[in-house]
Amino acid sequence: MSEAELVLRSTRVVTPEGTRPASIEVTGETITAVRPYDTPVPPGARLEDVGDHVVLPGLVDTHVHVNDPGRTEWEGFWTATRAAAAGGITTLVDMPLNSLPPTTTVEHLDVKRRVAADKAHIDVGFWGGALPDNVKDLRPLHEAGVFGFKAFLSPSGVDEFPHLDQDRLARSLAEIASFDGLLIVHAEDPHQLAAAPQRGGPHYRHFLASRPRDAENTAIAALIAQAKRFDARVHVLHLSSADALPLIAAARAESVRLTVETCPHYLTLTAEEVPDGASEFKCCPPIREAANQDLLWQALADGTIDCVVTDHSPSTADLKTADFATAWGGISGLQLSLPAMWTAARARGHSIEDVVRWMSARTAALAGLTRKGAIAAGRDADFAVLAPDRTFTVDPAALQHRNRVTAYAGRTLYGVVQSTWLRGRRVLHEGAFSEPKGRLLTRTD
């Protein structure tokens, strides 16, 4: 006899075996069974029947800049996690920079956790940072539960998080490989960037020229060489250059321990459509041309690119000036990542199962979150209930982000999140949020 407390039922449940009618049984915070749709509800269990809405596993976003503490006016755990929940995201992993202090020591990690503890509407984990002078801190951070270490190969944009040159990259990577940790890398080569034409002003084509594909390609080639040298696990963040795909495929063929992500903005927005002065489209590396985007989609479909994450990197509106050279570089995409991806994916013939694989199953696997990323017995009861055929027009005023600047303003998107469930508890229903009950995750969870 089942002891289920909750049964979530739908004619369309996305499971690892495919989408099918099902009844999901939940006890406490855990999925205990996924049964046929018409299975009788166990005595004492509460039935939530969502009809024909699609039930997805909660999305896992492993690339989010929450900026809290220190730059909380840019975002913050309260607003970021509400925006995530509104977009069907039930787990995020916070980047170590743009907060003050950055997450580069155990003491700084403790500060971050204290700030997040009573503000998180969803589950939250943390990346550590690899800086030129903190090799001694990497193992303690790993033991304290960070999911891996972020490094830049070119200037990060904030002084407190300097980049690694190749010698310091080697030192950090040797240390991280010694405990089989994961290094995640912003891969742009500083010498290629310095050699590129640097022209300020409102024209996007000038900004695009200042961040050439060769900067990504050169940095990724160097990272692959270092990964081979140390037999280390490395992950390329926010890939935008399709020219690097052959390098990545060749490294994989040689068994280099390499994974790669891209972002919704590279897959749904194109350089050709960016208006002059519209720095809400500015990010680094940049949004590139439509032909480049087509190749990214092809690589996502064939598995050369593993997963899709937001790289949510907000700022206050005043930093998004009309000068692309000086405007803050970052796309705010947490709340809109699922509908943006689903809109583009369906237009290209991809299924909702594909989107779940890219944005939930593989991101959970990247972070080692074995209880996330699938609707299956033994997993956390994290769900997003989606009306996939409903559309809405993006109104910045309706966003939960602290600063409601978005490159998606005015776009009509498919996919309306009806409710979001975290570990068996509904945290969002038809626009209304529950009190924050998110858990702070560690690498061993």
Side-chain angles (χ1 to χ4, degrees), residues 43-104:
R46 181 174 103 253
L47 174 65
E48 292 281 349
D49 192 324
V50 299
D52 294 331
H53 293 327
V54 178
V55 180
L56 320 175
L59 302 189
V60 177
D61 190 346
T62 53
H63 194 148
V64 180
H65 295 269
V66 179
N67 306 341
D68 197 5
R71 293 189 174 97
T72 312
E73 70 276 14
W74 292 20
E75 190 58 278
F77 283 103
W78 181 275
T79 50
T81 58
R82 281 170 67 97
I89 297 165
T90 54
T91 304
L92 67 80
V93 188
D94 175 53
M95 282 292 166
L97 74 157
N98 297 346
S99 59
L100 295 169
T103 316
T104 52

Side-chain angles (χ1 to χ4, degrees), residues 127 142 146-149 169 172-174 176-185 223 226-228 230-236 255-259 364-368 443:
W127 298 106
H142 176 77
V146 299
F147 287 87
F149 302 91
L169 172 63
S172 294
L173 201 51
I176 292 166
S178 73
F179 50 78
D180 199 33
L182 174 65
L183 183 70
I184 64 173
V185 181
L223 179 64
Q226 297 274 29
K228 286 182 184 177
F230 296 106
D231 188 27
R233 292 196 297 139
V234 296
H235 178 73
V236 174
S255 300
V256 176
R257 301 166 74 193
L258 172 70
T259 51
L366 172 69
R443 180 179 42 79

Side-chain angles (χ1 to χ4, degrees), residues 143-205:
E143 293 172 349
V146 299
F147 287 87
F149 302 91
K150 166 80 173 281
F152 279 77
L153 301 186
S154 56
S156 71
V158 290
D159 292 341
E160 67 274 4
F161 205 97
H163 70 284
L164 303 181
D165 61 23
Q166 289 299 310
D167 287 341
R168 289 182 171 87
L169 172 63
R171 292 176 203 167
S172 294
L173 201 51
E175 176 67 5
I176 292 166
S178 73
F179 50 78
D180 199 33
L182 174 65
L183 183 70
I184 64 173
V185 181
H186 181 123
E188 288 183 286
D189 181 79
H191 307 293
Q192 294 282 348
L193 294 178
Q198 303 295 322
R199 296 177 62 181
H203 299 305
Y204 186 73
R205 67 180 184 276

